[in-house]
Amino acid sequence: MSVEEEEKSSFNLNPLKIYPVFTTTEEEKIFNFVDYVAEKVIQVNEALDDAVPLKYPHRIHEAMRYSLFAGGKRIRPLLCIAACEAVGGHQSTAMPAACAVEMIHTMSLIQDDLPCMDNDDLRRGKPTNHKVYGEDVAVLAGDGLFILAIEQMATATRGVAPNRVLAAVRELIKAGGAEGLVAGQAEDLRCTGNNQIVKLETLEYIHLHKTAALFEASVVMGAIFGGGTDEQVEKLRIFARKIGLLFQVVDDILDVTRSSEELGKTAGKDLAADKTTYPKLLGLEKAMEFAEKLNGEATEQLTDFDQKKVAPLVALADYIACRDN
Amino acid sequence: MSVEEEEKSSFNLNPLKIYPVFTTTEEEKIFNFVDYVAEKVIQVNEALDDAVPLKYPHRIHEAMRYSLFAGGKRIRPLLCIAACEAVGGHQSTAMPAACAVEMIHTMSLIQDDLPCMDNDDLRRGKPTNHKVYGEDVAVLAGDGLFILAIEQMATATRGVAPNRVLAAVRELIKAGGAEGLVAGQAEDLRCTGNNQIVKLETLEYIHLHKTAALFEASVVMGAIFGGGTDEQVEKLRIFARKIGLLFQVVDDILDVTRSSEELGKTAGKDLAADKTTYPKLLGLEKAMEFAEKLNGEATEQLTDFDQKKVAPLVALADYIACRDN
């Protein structure tokens, strides 16, 4: 299988699902989602390869690269680039930010899998970072990715005024810190186990911080670097928060409906860990309805944009709603 | 004991040591190091208190504050402020950066103490973060401090052009990431135990990255925010690297010459962990000579500056050379 085919298949688009916007119109010829994704993923991977070279000290960089190139779908970088293009920007301006969000995402996965967190042995069908490199190196690899992400943004972004770069750095920091990922993970840990009753609003808090915040940063940074107006940025911010939450609802659904092989990670682990999820709180059917509602609310935000330019964003939202793994 | 007296005593200045620059001249009346430190430490602590409030999720912020207010000497923030003032700036401009370096330093201590790293139970005479809050929360508290540090810099700095803020952010990132702290810690872990023979240059690599890099960022950021010229910034950079290395050499010496009670942390642990140190490689006497040499080379960098303005930097270097804990 060629690299390109591999990238396509790792995205696992379900051919039975309909990606509504462009399958029945003339525009199908102009915008083909599968080709779009395949092309962009290769470009993102090349940029990541440059951004995280294998240098001294080797073991730490090897560990960083191990998880970074372990088969991620690159959804966040794709969203970042798509948002940049949605407001008329060129992807090259957003590429350092696209790499940054993937690095922070990867760091959060390495950390989530640690023995003191979810204690997981398998991620994307491969042994987790600490299983291969040891806990000490895994923690440092996470740190390295985290900080390199911000470095990418702050140093590799070209042709953008410093105040826009700073604004984007602030977005990334908000998403990664104690008001974003860290807050979500802390609440998640607090609410897991001991037969706790977790309210829907707490679950939403967790996912808005643990997942949606980084989606938000991805999209908003793309829009900032693409030269979006304040109004455009704010609409895209809401779009991103909705699809971020959607991503997590679908994740919860997949955890109960798919096998470990299909997912490439341990299935049913939410149930085993006594985690509160959307299917657990709402029931599977209502959780699916909620997912559909979120997708609708998200794409509503895009009605005032140039429809051709937002096509990738709409298709990505649909993919997130309908994905299989 | 008043807060001010406590701050003074926690600094533990050795009255037998001579702080050479100002003890025998008229200027003693103008610049009193002990009063200077006491005053600045209170201001730094107030700024840190504002920068890391106890907010939701409480446990994570409590853990962040626990280590941040566990009795650190605030050497890095003092260096940052002193560097700002050395080039004619006002400390208020450098205060967010001063807080940031202390947060990153604290984060590195939390992480160093983890069971998968040095596995230490005691830090500054108190139980380590993971002993109080658990490993999971300790890891997240470290993340929270790390990212909040950069947030502080990027959002709370006032009256400085965005390109200078970005330049400072880059310095901080370089110090904290895979080319700074992370690289140093990774090499340190690799070189510890198993009766390894570690060369002097490897030891220097470790300390330049694990310790001196953050000293460098502290001083350079202070100088950038103070409006220093490129030439001034580069001289201060060399000064900072020298005293950063000096700090570590003295740390190694204290580890073999002081008790746990005197240090407020486990003494003799380098020996117990079979760590390579300067006294081990050079012998105690030569290590002390090396420390003196570094201090001389550091202060040499300051000869072209206004001597009154660099007095705090010179005194801080002397303190680092002569400290007791």
Side-chain angles (χ1 to χ4, degrees), chain B residues 4-14 19 33-38 40-41 71-79 247 315-320 322-325:
Chain B
E4 201 166 318
E5 281 166 339
E6 218 167 70
E7 292 295 350
K8 281 188 198 180
S9 80
S10 87
F11 221 77
N12 262 336
L13 294 173
N14 182 344
Y19 295 92
F33 182 58
V34 177
D35 285 351
Y36 173 87
V37 165
K40 298 290 182 194
V41 165
K73 295 192 266 304
R74 314 302 189 209
I75 291 177
R76 293 157 192 79
L78 291 177
L79 284 168
F247 184 90
L316 281 163
D318 285 334
Y319 165 72
I320 288 166
C322 304
R323 71 206 169 96
D324 276 345
N325 72 355

Side-chain angles (χ1 to χ4, degrees), chain A residues 83-237:
Chain A
C84 175
E85 294 181 335
V87 297
H90 189 269
Q91 80 166 32
S92 61
T93 329
M95 193 56 96
C99 289
V101 290
E102 189 67 11
M103 287 184 220
I104 290 199
H105 171 57
T106 305
M107 172 269 176
S108 77
L109 299 183
I110 293 174
Q111 222 174 58
D112 267 14
D113 292 335
L114 286 176
C116 69
M117 305 279 181
D118 290 355
N119 193 19
D120 229 316
D121 296 348
L122 203 62
R123 165 76 65 183
R124 294 167 179 159
K126 292 181 181 172
T128 46
N129 200 294
H130 66 273
K131 281 278 157 193
V132 180
Y133 295 96
E135 250 183 279
D136 48 0
V137 173
V139 168
L140 291 175
D143 291 351
L145 284 169
F146 207 125
I147 205 82
L148 195 55
I150 302 165
E151 190 175 359
Q152 265 292 300
M153 292 269 311
T155 61
T157 302
R158 293 279 172 269
V160 180
N163 62 332
R164 281 203 175 234
V165 178
L166 260 186
V169 168
R170 284 186 199 119
E171 291 290 334
L172 188 63
I173 284 167
K174 207 177 72 186
E179 287 178 56
L181 271 173
V182 169
Q185 177 73 349
E187 272 301 272
D188 195 10
L189 287 169
R190 195 180 65 78
C191 295
T192 300
N194 303 320
N195 293 312
Q196 287 182 66
I197 297 159
V198 176
K199 285 182 194 163
L200 191 61
E201 62 199 22
T202 307
L203 187 66
E204 193 164 302
Y205 176 93
I206 292 170
H207 293 321
L208 276 176
H209 288 76
K210 204 175 156 181
T211 308
L214 196 54
F215 275 74
E216 184 181 327
S218 307
V219 168
V220 168
M221 291 196 306
I224 289 174
F225 287 145
T229 64
D230 287 354
E231 198 193 345
Q232 285 177 320
V233 169
E234 289 319 305
K235 284 199 167 164
L236 288 170
R237 186 187 297 282

